[in-house]
Amino acid sequence: MNDAVRLSAWVHGLVQGVGFRWWTRSRALELGLVGRATNAPDGRVHVVAEGPRPACERLLDLLRSGDTPGRVRLVVESWEPARGDVTGFEER
């Protein structure tokens, strides 16, 4: 995974209790990414995805597309090299 990156995206809006994590997991797996989507106590969802940068960028585009379950108001992203410490894609 030499060219792999790690995307961390905090998704704000109405994104809990609407199937958002399941939808995110499905899109990530379609893109060949590993990671997790976790509900935060403040109502946000934290998405962590690792894989090739183009696939992570596509996931980010999908998170911002307006075609997600619920209503996404804002997505705050950060990037770093992949850590390689995740397998599969979990909903937490």
Side-chain angles (χ1 to χ4, degrees):
M1 290 180 78
N2 292 342
D3 63 340
V5 296
R6 183 181 188 102
L7 166 66
S8 176
W10 286 95
V11 184
H12 302 245
L14 176 62
V15 290
Q16 290 190 12
V18 294
F20 184 84
R21 290 177 300 145
W22 178 87
W23 180 89
T24 300
R25 178 181 181 272
S26 296
R27 302 298 77 79
L29 291 173
E30 288 170 0
L31 292 166
L33 300 172
V34 297
R36 61 185 171 271
T38 308
N39 281 343
D42 62 4
R44 297 178 297 169
V45 170
H46 186 209
V47 177
V48 174
E50 287 193 0
R53 185 163 186 122
C56 287
E57 288 174 347
R58 178 67 182 134
L59 179 62
L60 184 60
D61 289 343
L62 289 167
L63 295 174
R64 291 180 168 149
S65 70
D67 293 330
T68 67
R71 283 191 309 273
V72 173
R73 185 174 48 82
L74 174 70
V75 180
V76 179
E77 80 206 64
S78 63
W79 298 90
E80 63 182 84
R83 297 181 192 169
D85 60 350
V86 289
T87 58
F89 202 95
E90 296 181 11
E91 297 172 53
R92 295 183 179 170

